[in-house]
Amino acid sequence: MLFFRALAAALLAGTTLALSPAAHTASGQPIFVAPSGSRVKPVGRNMEVFAPNGTLIHTFENVIPTNLKTKRASSQPIRRQDLSATEAYAEFGPTDVIQSFNTTFVVPPAPTTFESQIIFLSANVQPLDANGVPFGNLRAALQYGGSSVQGGPFWTYAIQLEVPPFGFLQVTNIGANPDLDVGQHIISTLVYDAEFSDDGIFWYIASFDNVTDAPTLEVGWQVPPQIAALELEVEGVSQASDYPAGSFVFEQVNLNLTTGPPTISWNTSVDPTTNVEVTVDVDGSENAQISIVFPSS
Ligand SMILES: *[C@@H]1O[C@H](CO)[C@@H](O)[C@H](O)[C@H]1NC(C)=O
Ligand SMILES: *[C@@H]1O[C@H](CO)[C@@H](O)[C@H](O)[C@H]1NC(C)=O
Ligand SMILES: *[C@@H]1O[C@H](CO)[C@@H](O)[C@H](O)[C@H]1NC(C)=O
Ligand SMILES: *[C@@H]1O[C@H](CO)[C@@H](O)[C@H](O)[C@H]1NC(C)=O
Ligand SMILES: *[C@@H]1O[C@H](CO)[C@@H](O)[C@H](O)[C@H]1NC(C)=O
C-alpha cells in the first residue's frame, strides 16, 4: 500500500515536472519549449531544465552517458563521424575549455521553392562520450521552414539544445517574433559562463547577440564540449531550388579557449547524399571564414 502510494506520488511528481512536447521532428524526436533564459543542468545521468525563476520544469532522464572521460583522462576520444552532417569542425582535447565561439552572417535569400523542407545553419558546441559520440549540441540556429514549433517558408531563429537521440529543447520569448529578414546581419555567440562554472560543471550560453528579443539558453555539462562546428542540417530537401541560391558564409569566426586562441585548421565533412560543399576560405581560430556552397542545379 505504502509502496503504491509512493509510486503514485512519484508518477505525479514526474507529470508535474514534465513539459509536454510542443511538436515532433520528422524522425519522431520530441521538441520541448522553455522560456528564454532557462538553464539545463546535468544531475547524475539526467539533464534538468530550470525556468529563469528557478523552477524545475522538465527532466531529460538517463540521457548522459555513463562513460564520460573526466578532466584528468589522458587520451582523447576521436569523434565518430556523422555522415549526414555538412560542416567545418574543430576537435579539442578533454582538458581544453572553449571560452567562446562566435561568428557573424547575413541572412541569405529564401529558397525559391518551399516543399516543407527544414534547413538549420548554426555554430554549435558538442560534448563527447568516451567513444567519441556527441551527447549534446547547443546552438543558436538560423532556421528556414516550419517546424511545428515555429516558422514557415521564411527565416527564423531557433535557439536549441539537442539531446541526441532523445529530443530538443528550444527556448522562446513569449510575444517575440522569431522572424529574421533577408540581408539582416546576425552575431551568433556561444560563451563559457566562467562565473557560474565553479561547481565542476561547464556552462555555456547560446544567443543571437544583436537580434532584438532573441532568447538565450544556458546549458551545463560535466565535461567541456570538445567539438566546435559550423554546420548545415537539412530535412526534406530534394532539388537545388530548395536551398538558398549561392553560398552561406560564416564570417568573423572567432574561437577562443580559456588558454587563448588555439592554432587550428578546420576539418570539413560533407553529407555524401547532397551536392553541398564546405570551403574554408580563411583558416584558423581568429577571423576565419567558412562557406557552405549550395548546388546551382
Ligand atoms: C516559474 O516559471 C515557470 C515557467 O515559466 C512557470 O510555469 C511557473 O509558474 C513560475 N513559478 C513561479 C513561482 O513564478
Ligand atoms: C582534423 O582531423 C584530423 C584527423 O582526424 C585530426 O588529427 C585533427 O586534430 C583534426 N583537426 C581539428 C582542428 O579538429
Ligand atoms: C549586428 O551586428 C552586425 C555585425 O557587427 C552588424 O552588421 C549589424 O548592423 C548589427 N545589427 C543590429 C541590429 O545591431
Ligand atoms: C565572443 O562574444 C562574446 C560576447 O559578445 C565576447 O565576450 C567574446 O570576447 C567574443 N569572443 C571572441 C573570441 O571574440
Ligand atoms: C580568450 O579567453 C581568455 C580567457 O578568458 C581571455 O583572457 C582572452 O582575452 C580571450 N581572447 C580573445 C581574443 O577573446
Side-chain angles (χ1 to χ4, degrees):
M1 188 66 202
L2 251 181
F3 168 77
F4 285 109
R5 207 174 296 150
L7 185 67
L11 287 174
L12 205 62
T15 352
T16 43
L17 289 182
L19 297 170
S20 311
H24 287 85
T25 65
S27 59
Q29 291 185 46
I31 306 172
F32 301 96
V33 176
S36 174
S38 290
R39 283 202 164 103
V40 187
K41 180 181 174 141
V43 177
R45 295 200 54 212
N46 298 344
M47 294 292 275
E48 297 187 340
V49 184
F50 293 88
N53 64 13
T55 304
L56 176 63
I57 52 172
H58 189 71
T59 303
F60 287 96
E61 281 187 354
N62 296 320
V63 295
I64 299 175
T66 49
N67 64 345
L68 294 186
K69 290 260 165 157
T70 64
K71 269 191 284 181
R72 268 163 276 284
S74 53
S75 71
Q76 161 178 356
I78 298 298
R79 181 197 194 192
R80 291 243 186 106
Q81 265 311 320
D82 174 1
L83 289 179
S84 64
T86 295
E87 61 182 356
Y89 67 94
E91 177 166 350
F92 298 99
T95 56
D96 294 322
V97 177
I98 295 168
Q99 166 69 32
S100 61
F101 181 32
N102 305 340
T103 182
T104 69
F105 58 81
V106 175
V107 178
T112 51
T113 54
F114 179 59
E115 42 180 350
S116 300
Q117 74 271 34
I118 293 202
I119 300 175
F120 286 112
L121 287 149
S122 71
N124 60 63
V125 291
Q126 306 169 30
L128 301 181
D129 72 12
N131 298 321
V133 178
F135 62 95
N137 182 321
L138 175 63
R139 58 197 179 204
L142 174 64
Q143 173 185 321
Y144 174 84
S147 73
S148 2
V149 171
Q150 63 172 29
F154 44 85
W155 297 101
T156 52
Y157 56 65
I159 317 295
Q160 298 174 327
L161 168 69
E162 183 180 3
V163 186
F166 302 98
F168 291 84
L169 183 78
Q170 187 161 321
V171 283
T172 58
N173 262 324
I174 309 273
N177 176 1
D179 296 7
L180 298 172
D181 300 325
V182 172
Q184 190 172 349
H185 290 253
I186 308 282
I187 301 176
S188 162
T189 63
L190 279 160
V191 181
Y192 175 56
D193 189 354
E195 279 171 40
F196 213 61
S197 297
D198 59 2
D199 52 1
I201 293 172
F202 299 86
W203 289 96
Y204 287 84
I205 304 169
S207 69
F208 278 166
D209 256 20
N210 69 347
V211 174
T212 313
D213 290 339
T216 64
L217 175 61
E218 178 152 19
V219 174
W221 291 291
Q222 292 103 331
V223 291
Q226 280 175 250
I227 298 286
L230 300 152
E231 191 169 12
L232 165 75
E233 290 163 280
V234 294
E235 219 169 67
V237 167
S238 61
Q239 52 185 330
S241 59
D242 289 345
Y243 291 108
S247 308
F248 177 87
V249 187
F250 290 104
E251 297 169 87
Q252 294 168 50
V253 177
N254 281 293
L255 196 160
N256 192 16
L257 300 182
T258 50
T259 48
T263 302
I264 53 161
S265 94
W266 293 92
N267 276 338
T268 60
S269 156
V270 293
D271 177 344
T273 66
T274 69
N275 292 321
V276 181
E277 286 167 29
V278 184
T279 59
V280 179
D281 310 324
V282 181
D283 211 348
S285 61
E286 293 177 274
N287 292 315
Q289 183 176 306
I290 310 283
S291 295
I292 307 281
V293 185
F294 297 111
S296 54
S297 63

